[in-house]
Amino acid sequence: EQKTFFHGHSFTGNPLGCAVALASLKLFEERSMLSGVRAKASLVEHRLAALKERPHVGDIRQQGLMIGIELVRDKNTREPYEWVERIGVRTSLKARELGMLTRPLGNVIVFIPPLASSEAELELMTAILVEAIICVTESGPAA
């Protein structure tokens, strides 16, 4: 039935959520969390570059460490997968099986790793993501 709550990323005015957000912002300043984002974003971009040549990756959109990977039935025509095929959901489930949580927005895999991620963690997460996408989209007739 496609009953997914797509807006779970918002604090939506909840007092506890707002308190956590303020504490998080304080930690950002104290730990200079943004200082390494460019290098980490570059690492992720490099690690995901292999996906650009895959037959079912239509686009990789990235701004810093916010990445959207669009999965398509045909790269040349940009024909999308049908909603009922749940390609994004299936890919996210495969990534979970391999050890990483992510989520789709339709046929787009959303990858927003924590800013505090180490290079080793980013390498592991991107390897899982690449494996999940290839496994699900190139596994044969069911894809």
Side-chain angles (χ1 to χ4, degrees):
E1 294 181 358
Q2 303 297 325
K3 291 184 178 181
T4 300
F5 180 57
F6 289 121
H7 301 286
H9 59 278
S10 173
F11 290 110
T12 62
N14 178 293
L16 180 58
C18 291
V20 170
L22 290 172
S24 180
L25 289 173
K26 184 177 178 184
L27 285 174
F28 268 58
E29 289 178 18
E30 290 173 358
R31 297 182 183 178
S32 301
M33 294 294 288
L34 298 179
S35 64
V37 171
R38 280 195 178 107
K40 290 176 182 181
S42 180
L43 170 72
V44 169
E45 181 179 21
H46 174 74
R47 298 283 299 184
L48 295 178
L51 286 175
K52 291 182 179 180
E53 304 306 317
R54 304 313 295 197
H56 300 286
V57 175
D59 193 16
I60 300 174
R61 296 181 288 279
Q62 179 176 357
Q63 184 66 42
L65 284 174
M66 296 183 296
I67 298 102
I69 303 167
E70 181 181 7
L71 304 178
V72 295
R73 177 173 300 291
D74 185 307
K75 182 185 199 82
N76 296 321
T77 65
R78 299 287 298 254
E79 176 189 355
Y81 283 98
E82 294 294 324
W83 179 259
V84 296
E85 293 178 89
R86 299 171 38 111
I87 199 73
V89 170
R90 290 173 35 217
T91 301
S92 292
L93 289 174
K94 183 63 178 178
R96 181 186 309 166
E97 181 183 309
L98 296 170
M100 184 181 76
L101 295 175
T102 189
R103 70 180 195 149
L105 287 175
N107 294 335
V108 177
I109 302 301
V110 177
F111 178 54
I112 306 176
L115 296 178
S117 301
S118 69
E119 287 186 12
E121 290 167 332
L122 290 170
E123 288 179 6
L124 178 59
M125 286 186 274
T126 54
I128 288 171
L129 196 53
V130 168
E131 182 178 348
I133 288 169
I134 291 171
C135 182
V136 171
T137 64
E138 297 179 30
S139 65

